[in-house]
Amino acid sequence: MLYLFDLLGCAIFAFSGALAAGRAKLDWLGVMIIATITAIGGGTVRDLLMNRHPIFWMQDPCYLYLTCLTGLATIAYVQYLPIPYHVLLVADALGLALFAIYGAQLAAAAGHRGIIVIVMGTMTGTAGGVIRDILSNQIPLILRKDIYASAAIVGIGIYLLLKKLKWRESWAFVAGFIAVVSLRLLALTLNWQLPVFNLR
Amino acid sequence: MLYLFDLLGCAIFAFSGALAAGRAKLDWLGVMIIATITAIGGGTVRDLLMNRHPIFWMQDPCYLYLTCLTGLATIAYVQYLPIPYHVLLVADALGLALFAIYGAQLAAAAGHRGIIVIVMGTMTGTAGGVIRDILSNQIPLILRKDIYASAAIVGIGIYLLLKKLKWRESWAFVAGFIAVVSLRLLALTLNWQLPVFNLR
Amino acid sequence: MLYLFDLLGCAIFAFSGALAAGRAKLDWLGVMIIATITAIGGGTVRDLLMNRHPIFWMQDPCYLYLTCLTGLATIAYVQYLPIPYHVLLVADALGLALFAIYGAQLAAAAGHRGIIVIVMGTMTGTAGGVIRDILSNQIPLILRKDIYASAAIVGIGIYLLLKKLKWRESWAFVAGFIAVVSLRLLALTLNWQLPVFNLR
């Protein structure tokens, strides 16, 4: 069940990566590469920092098949149908929430302190998008605007708090997940933004 | 023998890295750093992901001496002689082929599945150039055009196929190597390109 | 004592990272993230390459608290007071020197050869700044001009030489540290630069 969700999250992020690759005019292989990196980059950085080997996609190649296929499917899709930006934003919020809480769960299970759990979860949810933006030669989106990484941080905080209050793992997971999704979608709807630090 | 080829591959990639550094107007130390990263970046990422320690250049510092010297030699060379672009393209194809099949061989020897072997080999051959382009603030070349990573993928595929057909390791290696070089040079000569995904 | 210096070095680098984030108009969370990455990026790359786990900031979360707080403090500070560029340059030289010699010490203690010690120390002192520049979409400063990485390299060389001459560890440390700081500040004062490799 969680595994299926995880694959779904990968497909969503791969889709957003493939669209970014299209805007940067990459070739088909480049699209598959960017789609894959966007989807699995966050978990890879997490596994490297936490010294978890083999890296998750090296153990289970389904992830790579899925992201490459999603990249190709995206190319085919946009020839015929409009890009469903609204659906995509909701799907992306689901992917962010899932990856963030799942990454946090792994770090908590490894016995890390609260702040490390937050960093690992947030990184799992966002690092793929950061690498995608670096490869497309842009300042990473999540650093510039929007409640994105912050939604992940708050949701992981709630997950950790509920665990401390002795909630069952699965309930804390669901609550954290819902918190990230709600916060992200609320921020999009109401156009919430963090204040900007503008030096000149 | 393979070791000498490996050093040769490093020198070629260091040369291409130093030229990129010259185009970005870096200082002499920057040239040595970019030359080194271009040459050893791919193998470093591979070793980190496969949890191979010590990283190959930490065990054998010849690689670092060679790449730094190549960087300096490039600076001296271009003062007096024209850049041999045609020779460089052939040399680069040889380096790509060698690194790709060698990386694939390491991954196969570690017991990884076919798709992981392909990813590791392709990464060994191309990640250094990707990091070089990121450091020079460009969208990585291999994502934009040309049969480059794709030549590596096809060659590794042939290497794996021949191994499955019970060819001897060294013959499969040579066949894969020749496949990458031929495909890359054919693509350059005939101007083959992968189709581009252009999203406006 | 060394630990306090290490935290001080982190705070200095976090400050310089936060200023870069302000120039790139990031939001407050982005400022904290860039401040943190600038401060701990070099040590993280070093720990990954040397297979030192847990990564230093995962074991001791003080680093993360400090860098995030420094990021926020920077935002508050620049509202009311001018940026002390001259103080910052001196502070940055101290941070560079400390991180470089400390990284070198760790690599030497792990039994690595001289050139690897130099690479690890220089990387500890400079990689954070390189990642900061990549995230702000600029060609890394240290590759373009200034005696920066080169000051670290010379200082580490002196540290290694004195160790070989049987100086006590702490004295060699201090001598290397002073060498880096002096060289960096002299270079700033006298406007020393490495020659540039300008291709076209």
Side-chain angles (χ1 to χ4, degrees):
Chain A
M1 179 74 180
L2 193 63
Y3 178 67
L4 282 181
F5 269 119
D6 200 21
L7 289 177
L8 184 68
C10 273
I12 295 165
F13 278 125
F15 183 48
S16 93
L19 292 178
R23 282 190 293 268
K25 301 193 180 48
L26 303 190
D27 66 30
W28 288 13
L29 183 62
V31 170
M32 283 191 278
I33 293 174
I34 297 279
T36 300
I37 290 177
T38 305
I40 70 175
T44 303
V45 174
R46 176 201 64 212
D47 283 358
L48 280 177
L49 289 175
M50 287 178 56
N51 202 22
R52 284 166 46 95
H53 289 280
I55 309 286
F56 72 100
W57 51 268
M58 294 179 68
Q59 198 160 27
D60 178 357
C62 282
Y63 290 99
L64 296 180
Y65 294 126
L66 178 73
T67 55
C68 288
L69 280 178
T70 306
L72 291 179
T74 305
I75 297 173
Y77 178 91
V78 299
Q79 312 294 324
Y80 305 108
L81 290 167
I83 299 166
Y85 283 112
H86 282 87
V87 178
L88 185 61
L89 284 173
V90 177
D92 184 71
L94 293 172
L96 168 69
L98 185 78
F99 278 22
I101 307 291
Y102 182 55
Q105 194 178 39
L106 287 178
H112 286 293
R113 281 186 193 74
I115 190 172
I116 303 297
V117 171
I118 289 175
V119 168
M120 287 299 145
T122 307
M123 199 178 271
T124 307
T126 63
V130 169
I131 304 175
R132 174 198 63 208
D133 292 344
I134 292 175
L135 288 174
S136 340
N137 204 11
Q138 299 180 328
I139 294 186
L141 190 67
I142 68 148
L143 302 175
R144 275 180 308 176
K145 51 178 185 179
D146 269 3
I147 304 291
Y148 196 85
S150 21
I153 292 172
V154 171
I156 297 169
I158 289 173
Y159 162 76
L160 284 175
L161 183 71
L162 295 181
K163 270 173 68 103
K164 207 151 223 168
L165 297 176
K166 306 285 176 211
W167 282 40
R168 272 172 55 193
E169 179 69 33
S170 53
W171 290 48
F173 191 108
V174 170
F177 177 88
I178 291 175
V180 179
V181 175
S182 322
L183 200 51
R184 172 75 185 130
L185 293 181
L186 267 174
L188 279 172
T189 312
L190 305 175
N191 202 21
W192 287 347
Q193 304 215 339
L194 287 181
V196 163
F197 178 36
N198 188 345
L199 204 61
R200 255 171 328 118
Chain B
M1 179 74 180
L2 193 63
Y3 179 66
L4 282 181
F5 269 120
D6 201 21
L7 290 177
L8 184 68
C10 274
I12 295 165
F13 278 126
F15 184 48
S16 93
L19 292 178
R23 282 190 292 269
K25 301 192 178 52
L26 303 191
D27 66 30
W28 288 13
L29 184 62
V31 170
M32 283 191 279
I33 293 173
I34 297 279
T36 301
I37 290 177
T38 306
I40 70 175
T44 303
V45 174
R46 175 201 65 212
D47 283 358
L48 281 177
L49 289 175
M50 286 178 57
N51 202 22
R52 285 165 46 95
H53 290 279
I55 308 287
F56 72 100
W57 52 267
M58 293 180 67
Q59 199 160 26
D60 178 358
C62 282
Y63 291 98
L64 296 180
Y65 293 126
L66 177 73
T67 56
C68 288
L69 281 178
T70 306
L72 292 178
T74 306
I75 297 173
Y77 178 92
V78 299
Q79 312 294 322
Y80 304 107
L81 290 167
I83 300 166
Y85 282 111
H86 282 86
V87 178
L88 185 60
L89 284 174
V90 177
D92 185 71
L94 293 172
L96 168 69
L98 185 78
F99 279 22
I101 307 292
Y102 181 54
Q105 194 179 38
L106 287 179
H112 286 293
R113 279 186 195 74
I115 189 171
I116 303 297
V117 171
I118 289 175
V119 168
M120 288 297 145
T122 308
M123 199 178 270
T124 306
T126 63
V130 169
I131 304 176
R132 174 198 64 207
D133 291 345
I134 292 176
L135 288 173
S136 339
N137 203 14
Q138 300 180 328
I139 295 186
L141 190 67
I142 67 148
L143 302 175
R144 275 180 308 177
K145 50 179 185 178
D146 269 3
I147 304 291
Y148 196 86
S150 21
I153 291 172
V154 171
I156 297 169
I158 289 173
Y159 162 77
L160 284 175
L161 184 71
L162 296 180
K163 270 173 69 103
K164 208 151 223 169
L165 298 176
K166 305 284 177 211
W167 282 40
R168 272 174 53 192
E169 178 70 33
S170 53
W171 289 48
F173 190 108
V174 170
F177 177 88
I178 291 174
V180 179
V181 175
S182 323
L183 200 52
R184 172 76 185 130
L185 293 181
L186 267 174
L188 279 172
T189 313
L190 306 175
N191 202 21
W192 288 347
Q193 304 215 340
L194 288 181
V196 163
F197 178 36
N198 188 344
L199 204 59
R200 255 168 322 120
Chain C
M1 179 74 181
L2 193 64
Y3 179 66
L4 282 181
F5 269 119
D6 201 22
L7 290 177
L8 184 67
C10 274
I12 294 165
F13 278 125
F15 184 48
S16 93
L19 293 178
R23 282 190 293 268
K25 301 193 179 49
L26 303 191
D27 66 30
W28 288 14
L29 183 62
V31 171
M32 284 192 279
I33 293 172
I34 297 279
T36 300
I37 290 176
T38 306
I40 69 174
T44 304
V45 174
R46 175 202 65 212
D47 283 358
L48 280 177
L49 288 175
M50 286 179 58
N51 203 22
R52 284 166 46 94
H53 289 280
I55 309 287
F56 73 101
W57 52 267
M58 292 179 69
Q59 197 159 28
D60 178 357
C62 282
Y63 290 98
L64 295 180
Y65 293 126
L66 178 73
T67 56
C68 287
L69 280 178
T70 305
L72 291 178
T74 306
I75 297 174
Y77 178 92
V78 299
Q79 312 294 323
Y80 304 108
L81 290 166
I83 299 166
Y85 283 112
H86 283 86
V87 178
L88 184 60
L89 284 173
V90 176
D92 184 70
L94 293 172
L96 168 69
L98 185 78
F99 277 23
I101 307 292
Y102 182 56
Q105 195 178 38
L106 287 179
H112 286 292
R113 280 185 194 74
I115 189 173
I116 303 296
V117 171
I118 289 175
V119 169
M120 287 298 144
T122 308
M123 199 178 270
T124 307
T126 63
V130 169
I131 304 176
R132 174 199 64 207
D133 292 345
I134 292 175
L135 287 174
S136 339
N137 204 13
Q138 299 180 329
I139 295 185
L141 190 66
I142 68 148
L143 301 175
R144 275 179 309 177
K145 51 178 184 180
D146 271 1
I147 304 291
Y148 195 87
S150 22
I153 291 172
V154 172
I156 297 169
I158 289 172
Y159 162 78
L160 284 175
L161 184 71
L162 296 180
K163 270 173 68 101
K164 206 151 224 168
L165 298 176
K166 305 284 178 212
W167 282 40
R168 271 172 55 192
E169 178 70 33
S170 53
W171 289 49
F173 190 108
V174 171
F177 177 87
I178 292 175
V180 179
V181 175
S182 323
L183 201 51
R184 172 76 186 131
L185 292 181
L186 267 174
L188 279 172
T189 313
L190 305 175
N191 202 22
W192 287 347
Q193 303 215 340
L194 288 180
V196 163
F197 178 37
N198 188 345
L199 205 61
R200 261 173 325 118

